[in-house]
Every structure is written in structure tokens, then in C-alpha cells.
Amino acid sequence: MKVLLPSTVSSESFTGGAGDDFIVYDVHAPIPEEHRDAEVLVAWQNPPAQLAAAAQHLTRLRLVQALASGTDAVTAAGFPESVQVCSGRSLHDGPVAEHTLALLLACVRRLDRLYLAQQSRTWDNEYLHDQASPDSAGDYTLNGARVLVWGFGSIAAKLAPLLTSLGAKVTGVASTAGNRAGYPVVTEDTAREMLASTNVLISLVPATARTDKLFNNSVFAAMPPGSVFINTGRGSTVDEADLISAIEKNHLRVAAIDVAQSEPLPSTSPLWRTENLIITPHVSGNRPQGAAALIGRNLKALHAGSMLENLTSKSVA
């Protein structure tokens, strides 16, 4: 079975079964004609145009194995219904949890403000006063903070204990209520009722038609003044104009985003000019961990005709 591996990952550790042939392809170029008989395409950081071309040219394709935690880019490329699609869920749990925590701590401790003071060679006495004041001291710590993690999957399960260790009280939000990884999880309706008592809102929500601009004025305005918002999910889930407005009106004291509706974020975007907003260039995951093992398991399953790991619901249907 011919397996196409993207040039964006190291191919040294990939192994398959007898007869599996691994071919490295350039994600920025069309798939060479001699390799368009491939049955498996591994996708990672492929430009949309090249993914769409692959959907047209790879007529023998059986599986697209995305290494991203979401498969929205693969779905948008237009692969036939007969092609199974698997996500890279779990490959980014550690890195995204780390980056989310880093952004959250940067917001809570206002490292953006301190960096600006450093750049101007200023000893920020006002910061010292705010941090020490009984009226605002709670803004500068996670100890006792009520944190709502919207999109409670495997990344959240890795992140939540880190927040707990710092004294935060964590609640998850998912499509079904219950208990996951030892944390209470509520549905969206209940989560909206909890916003009034939420100090920190973290989005790990995937991009779907249902989650488009999910985080908007109705969410931000319901939060206590001076709250914090972090998005390491997908840019399409946030109404960016409403985010800017919420920061300017102090519904949000500070926010951080690793994703945007348009990436790379254009230099003309008003997000760049928004004070009290930290922006990183979609680097929270950026390097899948355990990709070779996942692909190996799915190749074995494909040979055996058994259920694939991380198969998308569309593929299951």
C-alpha cells in the first residue's frame, strides 16, 4: 500500500506492514503523477489549494490521516465520501496544553504589560501597586479562579490538572454533561448560565458550522468585568470585532489568541492594534507527538479492515 508522507514531518520513524511503501511528498506542490495511485495520504500543514488538488487527483485514495487535531481543512478540500478521514487527536495534547497555560499565565500575570515596561526601561510601580492591592490582587493569580474550559476533550484533560495544581476551580463544557478525567463537564446551556461567575474562559473548540462565532458579545458581556479569555482552538469560533469590543469595554481585562479567522493574520487587522491582547501565530501545537505510532496503528487497521483510530463522524456515517 502506497502511503504519502508530508515533507513537513520527519519520515525516519515511520514503519508499516509488509508491502507498505512510504513516499515523501512536497506539501507545497501537486502530488507527482507517478504517486497519484496512493491509497493513504498523511496531511500536515498542507495549503488548502494543494489539499483540494489532492482530492481531485488521488483517485485510489482510501484514507486521509490528518495530523492536526481537527479535520476541518481536510473536509473543506472536498475528498469523496468514500475516503475515510482520521484526525490527529491526542498528538497535540501536551504542546497545546503547555501553550494554553503559558498564554493564561502571561495574561494573569500581565507579562505583556511588564514587557512593554521593560522595553521603555520603566520600573512599573503602578503594576506593583495593583498586584498588592486587596481590590485587584485576585486578578494576578489563578488561585481560586473559576475557569471554564469550553471544548473538554483530550487537550483539556491534560490542561485541567495543571490549572488545578495552581488553585483554579475547573469546569468543562462539552456536548454531553458528566464527568471527564475527574472534572465536572456541563453542556452549552449550563455553561452560559455559569459565565457570570467565570473568571477565565478557555476555548479549545473545533471549527464547525455550529461553532462559527460562538464566542461573541453574548458570551463576553455575560462575564464579570475584568475576566480573561484564551483561544487556542480555532479562529472561526470567535467574532473578532466582538472580542475587540469586549476588551475595550473591559468585559475582558486581557485576552490571548493563538488562532485567527484569517491566517496569517493580515497586518491591517485591528487585532494587532488592540491593547491588552496577546497574539501568537498558531504555534500552540505545531509539532505532532506520536504521529508515527498513530499512522502505524491505522495502517494495520486498514489492512485488517477494522475500525480506524480517530475516525471522523462523517467517515463513520
Side-chain angles (χ1 to χ4, degrees), residues 174-196:
S175 56
T176 55
N179 188 287
R180 297 188 187 182
Y183 290 89
V185 175
V186 301
T187 60
E188 181 178 327
D189 289 341
T190 302
R192 289 183 179 275
E193 296 173 1
M194 297 176 63
L195 288 172

Side-chain angles (χ1 to χ4, degrees), residues 40-43 63-67 84 86-88 294-295 298 309:
V40 178
L41 175 71
V42 179
L63 167 66
V64 177
Q65 174 64 66
L67 299 186
Q84 299 181 91
C86 292
S87 75
L294 173 62
I295 291 169
N298 271 346
E309 191 171 334

Side-chain angles (χ1 to χ4, degrees), residues 21-198:
D21 185 17
F22 291 91
I23 305 294
V24 176
Y25 71 96
D26 182 356
V27 299
H28 298 288
I31 304 295
E33 289 190 19
E34 64 268 26
H35 297 313
R36 293 181 181 178
D37 58 346
E39 295 179 71
V40 178
L41 175 71
V42 179
W44 175 241
Q45 297 180 334
N46 300 57
Q50 296 303 338
L51 267 182
Q56 291 184 336
H57 296 152
L58 303 183
T59 57
R60 295 185 59 187
L61 202 62
R62 299 170 60 191
L63 167 66
V64 177
Q65 174 64 66
L67 299 186
S69 55
T71 59
D72 44 299
V74 174
T75 301
F79 287 92
E81 292 286 341
S82 59
V83 177
Q84 299 181 91
V85 176
C86 292
S87 75
R89 182 171 55 85
S90 82
L91 301 183
H92 303 273
D93 291 358
V96 175
E98 288 178 0
H99 196 78
T100 303
L101 179 61
L103 289 178
L104 177 53
L105 289 174
C107 285
V108 170
R109 305 294 294 195
R110 293 312 308 264
L111 297 188
D112 58 321
R113 174 176 166 181
L114 294 175
Y115 178 72
L116 291 175
Q118 177 187 343
Q119 293 299 101
S120 63
R121 303 178 185 180
T122 300
W123 194 262
D124 196 337
N125 286 308
E126 184 180 353
Y127 179 98
L128 289 167
H129 177 271
D130 290 345
Q131 187 187 34
S133 170
D135 295 333
S136 57
D139 292 339
Y140 293 86
T141 180
L142 285 175
N143 188 32
R146 295 176 295 274
V147 180
L148 200 60
V149 183
W150 209 304
F152 204 94
S154 58
I155 295 172
K158 179 78 73 172
L159 173 65
L162 303 177
L163 301 176
T164 299
S165 70
L166 295 173
K169 301 174 182 178
V170 180
T171 302
V173 185
S175 56
T176 55
N179 188 287
R180 297 188 187 182
Y183 290 89
V185 175
V186 301
T187 60
E188 181 178 327
D189 289 341
T190 302
R192 289 183 179 275
E193 296 173 1
M194 297 176 63
L195 288 172
S197 59
T198 295

